[in-house]
Amino acid sequence: MAQHKVNYTQDGGLPVALTSIDKIVNWGRSNSLWALTYGLACCGIEMMASGASRFDFDRYGTIFRASPRQADVMIVAGTLTKKHAEFIKRLYDQMTEPRWVISMGSCANTGGMFNTYATVQGCDRVIPVDLYLPGCAPRPETLQYGVMLLQQKIRANKAGNAQKSKRLM
Amino acid sequence: MRAYTPKDDVQAKAYYTDRFYVAPQVPKQDVENDEVFAADLAAIKAKFEVSDAYIQVSNMVVYINAKDIYGVLELMRDELDYTQLSEMSAIDWLAKDNTFEIFYQMLSMKKRKRIRVKYFIENGQAVDSVEKLFRCADWSEREMFDMFGIEANNHPFMKRILMPYDWQGNPLLKTYPLEGDEFAAWYEVDKIFGKEARDIIGPEIRDTARVDRYDSERFARLGFEVPKGTEITDDMPRTEQKYQEDDGVFLIKKYDKESSVIVDDPQR
């Protein structure tokens, strides 16, 4: 409890802020982007570094969650194999809307150097992707910048609109 | 006249082949040169048929019959102190004589020696599992089954280990393309969305250097940018963009592509 007496009328500063629903919803969404822990390969190390104290994702409200049901953004960090493709689709379906996907690194973007039978040539063949981060592996700064870009994207859109899926189904 | 050869795709082929090339062979030594190996070989020969044996890079290579493998490895493990199976797999010789060569690399920590036991099987023939002797053979034989399609009899769980269970094809066969066959190319699409989604999702793009110059949504051609989403047509003027300030920066001269000279005279 505040011990002092608050003068609400001082400086004309009533504790009221006027905004639009869109803005406040988007403000909430963009500043609490909980990311699904999805380290598939070496990009996962960079993703972990981004979450750790040096780069400190918590500053953006990006906290890694181990469950898709608590996550807003899936950071596909690493090589997506064909064996794993069905699981990434299932985890994506389990995430609650609105949901976003960051494809991190060459392997997740295009299959990268794994031009082989066992690698999905870009995770956008399975799930819709919002943001592609180049690099092999991208530096944590790149991922931070990517998250900030995603925040901008979220703020730019109307909050009420249901997400249009990029691919079918 | 020289016979005509198609000139397309020549860079993908070997640039130069030596007609008189002889593949280097690792020298083979007689088993009698090493008394430990000689004694081991004599012990194996006493019970089983050995078709060939030699020493190569201080490893003894022993060729046996396919049906004897369990007995040979049991003898080596229990009586000859070769207590470890380092690795085992197959070699694809299908193109040469329709056979697989199966090898078992054995290690004796006591004698500090290694023996490679080998045999040939026909294509389609199964091998005897040695999983009861060496637990590590469990996964090795599953991998052999996965990669070559060679089944192991009496194996407790003869299923694929690396590829998904519903995979078709054996990726380590020399006839299997590295980029996968038709089944592999559509595997995830067929499995997740069904075959009817093939048209929507489209084939895999495996050319990593591919840039679609008509795509202004995802690509920006450096120096020739257009606003995002612009419809690009063939007869569009390619206006080059320059990014540096027109005046340049202090002490730095602006690079002008038009007035640049290509120096092709090495004496200049």
Side-chain angles (χ1 to χ4, degrees), chain B residues 206-261:
Chain B
R206 287 186 176 268
D207 181 6
T208 45
R210 177 182 170 275
V211 173
D212 185 0
R213 72 164 290 234
Y214 300 105
D215 185 352
S216 59
E217 289 283 341
R218 284 167 292 184
F219 296 109
R221 303 192 67 198
L222 285 182
F224 300 100
E225 284 104 336
V226 290
K228 189 183 177 205
T230 310
E231 192 125 339
I232 300 175
T233 50
D234 270 327
D235 50 353
M236 245 172 108
R238 296 176 41 160
T239 47
E240 194 175 342
Q241 311 258 339
K242 290 177 183 167
Y243 299 105
Q244 212 170 8
E245 299 84 350
D246 280 332
D247 303 335
V249 197
F250 175 61
L251 279 180
I252 297 175
K253 201 178 160 192
K254 189 173 178 185
Y255 168 66
D256 186 10
K257 209 174 181 180
E258 303 299 322
S259 64
S260 62
V261 182

Side-chain angles (χ1 to χ4, degrees), chain B residues 93-265:
Chain B
W93 293 118
L94 292 179
K96 202 173 86 181
D97 48 8
N98 204 30
T99 55
F100 287 107
E101 186 174 4
I102 320 285
F103 65 90
Y104 299 76
Q105 181 79 12
M106 308 292 297
L107 168 64
S108 170
M109 299 290 275
K110 209 168 178 181
K111 297 178 179 174
R112 294 187 288 168
K113 294 284 184 193
R114 291 179 195 270
I115 292 183
R116 197 176 309 134
V117 181
K118 286 185 161 191
Y119 58 87
F120 290 97
I121 60 164
E122 293 287 316
N123 187 14
Q125 199 181 332
V127 301
D128 280 341
S129 171
V130 294
E131 190 268 337
K132 295 286 180 293
L133 295 172
F134 299 99
R135 286 285 285 123
C136 65
D138 186 343
W139 283 13
S140 298
E141 279 166 356
R142 281 179 66 188
E143 188 185 348
M144 189 168 74
F145 171 66
D146 192 355
M147 292 291 145
F148 295 96
I150 302 168
E151 283 185 53
N153 293 330
N154 305 322
H155 190 280
F157 192 69
M158 192 78 270
K159 282 201 165 194
R160 288 183 184 272
I161 188 169
L162 293 172
M163 305 309 292
Y165 286 161
D166 55 351
W167 190 262
Q168 292 171 17
N170 303 104
L172 227 52
L173 292 178
K174 289 198 196 298
T175 50
Y176 195 90
L178 174 64
E179 299 182 357
D181 50 11
E182 166 95 14
F183 173 82
W186 293 105
Y187 174 77
E188 75 274 17
V189 175
D190 285 356
K191 187 165 188 183
I192 297 172
F193 303 111
K195 275 201 164 75
E196 62 274 13
R198 284 188 182 190
D199 288 340
I200 303 163
I201 292 176
E204 288 177 329
I205 299 168
R206 287 186 176 268
D207 181 6
T208 45
R210 177 182 170 275
V211 173
D212 185 0
R213 72 164 290 234
Y214 300 105
D215 185 352
S216 59
E217 289 283 341
R218 284 167 292 184
F219 296 109
R221 303 192 67 198
L222 285 182
F224 300 100
E225 284 104 336
V226 290
K228 189 183 177 205
T230 310
E231 192 125 339
I232 300 175
T233 50
D234 270 327
D235 50 353
M236 245 172 108
R238 296 176 41 160
T239 47
E240 194 175 342
Q241 311 258 339
K242 290 177 183 167
Y243 299 105
Q244 212 170 8
E245 299 84 350
D246 280 332
D247 303 335
V249 197
F250 175 61
L251 279 180
I252 297 175
K253 201 178 160 192
K254 189 173 178 185
Y255 168 66
D256 186 10
K257 209 174 181 180
E258 303 299 322
S259 64
S260 62
V261 182
I262 297 172
V263 181
D264 50 0
D265 180 12

Side-chain angles (χ1 to χ4, degrees), chain A residues 8-142:
Chain A
Y8 288 122
T9 54
Q10 180 184 303
D11 299 334
L14 285 170
V16 172
L18 291 177
T19 181
S20 63
I21 295 284
D22 271 343
K23 272 189 181 160
I24 197 163
V25 169
N26 280 337
W27 174 78
R29 279 180 183 167
S30 63
N31 287 308
S32 65
L33 277 176
W34 288 7
L36 177 62
T37 312
Y38 215 89
L40 289 171
C42 30
C43 281
I45 303 293
E46 301 294 309
M47 188 178 69
M48 287 175 231
S50 316
S53 52
R54 178 183 283 258
F55 297 98
D56 199 9
F57 253 167
D58 296 4
R59 291 180 296 158
Y60 306 98
T62 297
I63 301 166
F64 286 102
R65 309 301 297 175
S67 162
R69 306 193 189 273
Q70 299 169 353
D72 304 306
V73 55
M74 174 189 263
I75 301 174
V76 186
T79 319
L80 179 63
T81 58
K82 299 215 173 192
K83 193 177 184 178
H84 195 85
E86 57 171 317
F87 307 126
I88 202 174
K89 174 72 172 133
R90 189 188 302 168
L91 288 167
Y92 177 77
D93 289 343
Q94 285 174 351
M95 286 164 66
T96 50
E97 287 193 333
R99 55 195 173 192
W100 298 275
V101 176
I102 295 177
S103 164
M104 180 180 177
S106 299
C107 294
N109 292 342
T110 65
M113 65 177 189
F114 297 105
N115 190 6
T116 66
Y117 57 90
T119 309
V120 176
Q121 302 295 306
C123 68
D124 53 359
R125 289 177 65 76
V126 183
I127 52 175
V129 175
D130 290 283
L131 205 63
Y132 300 86
L133 302 184
C136 181
R139 294 269 312 157
E141 289 93 330
T142 314

